[in-house]
Amino acid sequence: MTGLLHIGLILFSFVVVFDSEPTHAGPDREGESHEKSRLVHMTSHWAFQLANNSLTFSRADRFCRGQFSSLATLEQSEDQEGVFELLWHTKHNLPIWVRDPSKAGSSAVPLSKQYAQFSALNFPKESCEGFARLNMSFPTMSSVSVCVRVQWNAEWTEVSTIFSYAAPIFTNEFQLRGQVDVQGRILLALIIHGKHLPYKASFPNDGAWHHICVTWLRISGHWAIYVDGDRKDMGSGTDSPRNIYGDGIFILGQDQDSFGGNFTEPFFGNITDLNVWNISLETRHVQALNACSPMTPEVLFSWNLADLSNHPTVKEVQVLLYCPAVNQQMELHDCRTLRGWSSQQLPLLSWTDCSDPLLFICRSRRERYLKMKQITDSQLSGPTDFMNHLMKLSNKTQAVLVQQPSGLSSLAEASALLDISAQALEDTQLEGLEQADMVSIIQLLSLAADVPAQPGTEATNYSRDVAQELSRHFISVADRIIGEDNALKWQAIKEVVNGPMDVVKSIDRMVTCLIPRLMVETDHLIIHRPNIKVEVQQQMLQEGSRGFSFCGPETEKNSKLDCISVPRQKIQTLHDNGFVKLTLVNTWYGSLWPLFNLEENITMVPTVTDGSQRYLGTVLGSSVISTTVMGDNQPVSTAVRFQLQHRVQNPTGTVYDPVCAFWDFDLTPEAGGWWNTKGCDVVSKQIGYTVCSCNHTTNFALLLQVYEAQRSPENEKALQVLTFVSCGVSLCGLLFTFILFIAVGIPKSDRTTVHKNLIVALGIAELLLMCSDWASANEAACFVVTALLHLFFMASFSWMLVEGLLLWSKVVTVNISEDRRMTLYYIIGWGLPVLIVGITLTVSVDKYKADDHCWLNVKNDTIWAFVGPVVFVLAVNTVVLCRVVMVTVSSARRRAKMLSPSSASKLQIFDLTWAVTRPVLILLPVLGLTWLCGLLVHLSVVLAYIFITLNALQVRNAIKRIKEKRKALSFTNCSQPTSFLPSQRAPMTSWGRIPPTPSSPETSETSGPASSTNTSLVIKNESFRKESFVSFSLKPVSENQVVRLTGFKPSGC
């Protein structure tokens, strides 16, 4: 164990001082320092480091990530210049690995995966005669590979034949068979040239899909059986080293006891994706096929149901098979390399087998490299307290600095190094960690997470114990490093390390990689530390499987916990898609939010835009909780639901609006990722916690958008009370107005009809507004109230638009009949609102209503389905009002000149001012222009009070206009003297001159010259009843030639 710790400490020490200056002077050290300086080239933005070791592509990529950098790319001219200069100075040979930015990053723990739909053949257990024949002629083959995906019927325990190839001159030429052993495993065996090889390769009889490949090569006699990408059995030598005969028959699901007939040992289950090659595939090829990657070279037969002849009992079915993630396929395909430079110094790229060891260049930001160098240089003065304890625990007096970028080689080595690191952290808890210690431990966690799980070996109790021990030590070290007491340290190293989410990513990779070993002989595992809780749950899926849930530790009595769950319906969907075993990895991080700088704003678009609050910024405001779902040991993505407590306290004068988010590692990968909200929605907001749902699995948290409250709680309460009271007053006034319209018997006209419709629409809208607070308790009722409020307020504004159009028709001549005009008005007043609300509900029914009250959602574009039409109506009615004011002023000016030509100018100015003010005050509420204040309430709380008050007075104008109409009616019924002022829209009148009669009072009183003779005019006014006349007398007044007009209706009252 001492030797093991020595190796680990050597590697660990290398990680700390990689690319740093030597620890002590000397000729050799000076040469080494000069050599290292030659391995680095810096440009204005980037630092390029050549690793003087050859590694496979995946190990090279992991090494660069361990150095908080990435493999160099050659997409930008600065990258090409940096790589060229570095290689020219170092004189290193090509090729070298370079990263292809068009491909997904090689993350070891994908959070999504590929899936593919296959056409499969079902061999039912009810019949033993089912088979399928390949319709092709096979050549003589010196080598062969056959790969197929099978789903074994778990109830069948007899020998079965997956496929058999028989030649005309030899029946058992090439065959794959299987049988169930006493342990419930499916054992596989090959038959080559009639020789039955032993049953050795196996896979569990779990009813799941398994990928099987068999290969054979005549020259060496070598054969192999692969299951799910791993080589399970191999050997060499056959009785007759010859080629496989051609012109044979290839049968699926039956053994051929004779050429193409006498079928025995049937197969029961499903078969798909059968492919045949006349080459012997390598291990990497088989792994690529297992990952659903196509292999076209040298293929003899590619899976196609059209090329098969099936027995009637064999049915075609569609199956959904889940494949390993894109990043795992990168390792199986060829990877990009730089092979040289053209005459124009452009890079010449090619592709090489990813398993070949090559040199590589890591690229990091210039500031990050310099900060890293500064941190490592600070260690030259002597080891830190943490490093001293580390060397003491490993029984070493000095850490030997040796460059070993290949990483940790085994689980035991990683576990031992993490163990002494955890002890050293415990011992130096009071002293604390230095910046270099933080960087070293984060790199150690990244290296330990990349320890391979040694594929090809069965999970044993020993490996399970080692894996569980490694997990516990790993979580212990990670828990220390993300403790709240290290918050300042994280801020100090933020130029080097992407942030605490790097540790989260390492934990995800480690646990997911170790699941096959961790869960041997157990289906539940919990690792709990003060800041981290990890729980792994596993179950076999069946019809009606329950949902999964996970909660963080309880911090306060009866407090809401941080929880995440996968709904039962989603679990059932996974079962329906063919998954057999489900594993959930759930993790809770309780101390991450203090590590994010609260003063550093998370750039996001503000969600609250109703003007009541001023947006300040966004901060992380909860714990981080995550879940990873694995179906049959393959990561899959499914919808989840979670609730998180608000961890940040509200300072005085600020409010928070929670946003559901997740950490997206692919967003700005150079910075380690960033918060994303795509696919996540708020289900409900409660006091102290928020419930969210997301359509995928990853690391989730609540982002709290911080707002400065523009209104105090007292103002909010006062506005709420004032709104309720004003709505009540307005509603009573509307009801009283409607009754007056009916009671006083005002003649029917287009104007009264428009007034009545406006009263109905506005009255219902305000009644619904008063009831909306009570409806908010019920989601369905609140949605209905929201839709009705939208409809009737839109109808109110539509009828206000009609009021404006009607007023315009009284000012500007419109050649349209009253009936046709009212039809148009009804379409505008009721048809248009129904259309707008219907389209809005259709387009955005899921985001129609606000979260916490019964009104349109102001956090998206839905609110414009109300604001847009309102702005249009206000604009049109503003034009109408301006036109009416212009006409009124013009009429007032003419009247003033006619009635009082010698009046003072001040009096005329007063009359003109009143002529402008009066229609504005009267028409503002009717045309809805008081709502202009409603569009500006976000500017000041004073405008909110003004807006509510003005709209409460909207009914007062209607009552006043009814009184005016009542006065007009009195004119038609009483012969009281009245003034007569014709208007531009007055009905046509007939003027006639009548000679004076002796009986006339006017003529009996007149005497004098003929110029003083009285004259009477009779006016036929068509606005009165038929045959109705008004008689006017024109009497000159002595000493003043002013004509006095007095009109009486002939009939009495």
Side-chain angles (χ1 to χ4, degrees), residues 375-498:
I375 292 176
T376 54
D377 286 348
S378 66
Q379 283 194 312
L380 300 180
S381 58
T384 63
D385 292 334
F386 170 75
M387 191 59 67
N388 280 327
H389 279 78
L390 194 66
M391 292 186 293
K392 180 180 178 181
L393 292 171
S394 61
N395 296 322
K396 299 300 298 180
T397 58
Q398 183 179 2
V400 182
L401 307 182
V402 180
Q403 181 170 339
Q404 294 186 17
S406 57
L408 299 169
S409 60
S410 67
L411 296 178
E413 179 184 350
S415 178
L417 188 53
L418 287 168
D419 184 21
I420 62 171
S421 299
Q423 295 180 45
L425 286 170
E426 182 71 27
D427 295 340
T428 58
Q429 186 174 1
L430 295 178
E431 293 85 351
L433 296 174
E434 302 292 337
Q435 294 182 25
D437 299 332
M438 293 281 293
V439 173
S440 303
I441 296 173
I442 295 169
Q443 290 176 312
L444 172 62
L445 293 174
S446 180
L447 286 172
D450 288 331
V451 174
Q454 300 178 5
T457 61
E458 295 289 340
T460 62
N461 290 337
Y462 172 75
S463 64
R464 180 199 65 187
D465 295 339
V466 173
Q468 291 184 357
E469 184 180 0
L470 169 64
S471 302
R472 292 189 178 93
H473 297 329
F474 194 104
I475 298 301
S476 296
V477 173
D479 179 78
R480 290 286 185 182
I481 204 73
I482 65 171
E484 188 174 349
D485 52 344
N486 288 323
L488 296 179
K489 303 292 193 312
W490 279 102
Q491 296 302 318
I493 63 174
K494 66 180 181 180
E495 296 180 8
V496 176
V497 183
N498 290 324

Side-chain angles (χ1 to χ4, degrees), residues 422-723:
Q423 295 180 45
L425 286 170
E426 182 71 27
D427 295 340
T428 58
Q429 186 174 1
L430 295 178
E431 293 85 351
L433 296 174
E434 302 292 337
Q435 294 182 25
D437 299 332
M438 293 281 293
V439 173
S440 303
I441 296 173
I442 295 169
Q443 290 176 312
L444 172 62
L445 293 174
S446 180
L447 286 172
D450 288 331
V451 174
Q454 300 178 5
T457 61
E458 295 289 340
T460 62
N461 290 337
Y462 172 75
S463 64
R464 180 199 65 187
D465 295 339
V466 173
Q468 291 184 357
E469 184 180 0
L470 169 64
S471 302
R472 292 189 178 93
H473 297 329
F474 194 104
I475 298 301
S476 296
V477 173
D479 179 78
R480 290 286 185 182
I481 204 73
I482 65 171
E484 188 174 349
D485 52 344
N486 288 323
L488 296 179
K489 303 292 193 312
W490 279 102
Q491 296 302 318
I493 63 174
K494 66 180 181 180
E495 296 180 8
V496 176
V497 183
N498 290 324
M501 295 306 293
D502 277 358
V503 177
V504 172
K505 188 175 184 179
S506 296
I507 294 176
D508 289 342
R509 294 205 314 270
M510 181 273 302
V511 177
T512 306
C513 182
L514 291 179
I515 280 180
R517 297 172 180 270
L518 289 172
M519 304 310 291
V520 175
E521 298 182 358
T522 183
D523 58 1
H524 194 210
L525 175 68
I526 295 180
I527 303 175
H528 189 192
R529 297 294 181 269
N531 301 312
I532 302 175
K533 180 180 179 181
V534 179
E535 183 179 61
V536 184
Q537 305 176 63
Q538 195 172 78
Q539 76 171 17
M540 304 302 292
L541 293 180
Q542 56 187 354
E543 194 68 30
S545 296
R546 61 178 178 83
F548 284 86
S549 62
F550 163 77
C551 292
E554 186 173 356
T555 55
E556 300 177 6
K557 188 175 182 181
N558 298 326
S559 66
K560 290 289 183 180
L561 301 179
D562 297 325
C563 296
I564 190 169
S565 63
V566 179
R568 186 185 62 82
Q569 297 83 353
K570 302 301 179 181
I571 301 295
Q572 185 62 40
T573 301
L574 295 176
H575 173 262
D576 296 340
N577 288 337
F579 285 101
V580 177
K581 181 175 63 176
L582 193 66
T583 305
L584 270 79
V585 181
N586 300 296
T587 315
W588 171 85
Y589 305 93
S591 60
L592 287 183
W593 63 271
L595 306 184
F596 287 84
N597 187 5
L598 294 180
E599 297 178 358
E600 181 179 356
N601 176 40
I602 300 174
T603 304
M604 288 187 68
V605 177
T607 59
V608 175
T609 57
D610 59 1
S612 61
Q613 300 155 351
R614 185 168 67 88
Y615 177 67
L616 299 179
T618 304
V619 298
L620 176 64
S622 72
S623 302
V624 175
I625 197 166
S626 72
T627 187
T628 300
V629 181
M630 305 188 69
D632 299 333
N633 294 327
Q634 298 180 7
V636 296
S637 185
T638 185
V640 297
R641 187 184 180 103
F642 61 92
Q643 70 173 32
L644 292 172
Q645 300 179 70
H646 304 168
R647 300 283 180 176
V648 180
Q649 299 298 324
N650 290 23
T652 304
T654 62
V655 293
Y656 289 131
D657 187 59
V659 178
C660 304
F662 66 96
W663 186 266
D664 188 350
F665 289 102
D666 295 329
L667 201 64
T668 62
E670 195 68 37
W674 198 242
W675 295 107
N676 198 342
T677 60
K678 185 176 181 179
C680 293
D681 297 296
V682 174
V683 176
S684 65
K685 301 176 185 178
Q686 307 296 335
I687 299 178
Y689 71 96
T690 298
V691 181
C692 304
S693 67
C694 292
N695 60 7
H696 55 279
T697 56
T698 182
N699 301 283
F700 303 102
L702 290 180
L703 302 181
L704 300 182
Q705 294 194 327
V706 187
Y707 297 88
E708 180 182 16
Q710 299 289 79
R711 304 169 189 164
S712 65
E714 294 77 11
N715 278 330
E716 288 289 347
K717 185 64 176 178
L719 287 173
Q720 186 177 4
V721 173
L722 182 60
T723 300

Side-chain angles (χ1 to χ4, degrees), residues 210-232:
H210 294 277
H211 185 256
I212 302 172
C213 282
V214 294
T215 64
W216 174 77
L217 183 63
R218 179 188 60 81
I219 296 177
S220 62
H222 179 80
W223 59 268
I225 301 178
Y226 296 84
V227 177
D228 296 330
D230 296 335
R231 189 168 56 196
K232 296 293 187 178

Side-chain angles (χ1 to χ4, degrees), residues 31 37 84 150 271 333 358 371 420 558 563 624 626 695 773 788 793 877 888 905 925 945 959 966 983 1002 1024 1029:
S37 66
F84 178 83
V150 300
I271 291 179
H333 289 105
L358 296 177
K371 181 64 175 180
I420 62 171
N558 298 326
C563 296
V624 175
S626 72
N695 60 7
D773 284 342
L788 292 177
F793 269 119
N877 284 353
T888 305
S905 60
Y945 283 101
I959 298 175
R966 189 73 180 90
S983 68
E1002 290 83 355
F1024 299 121
F1029 295 88

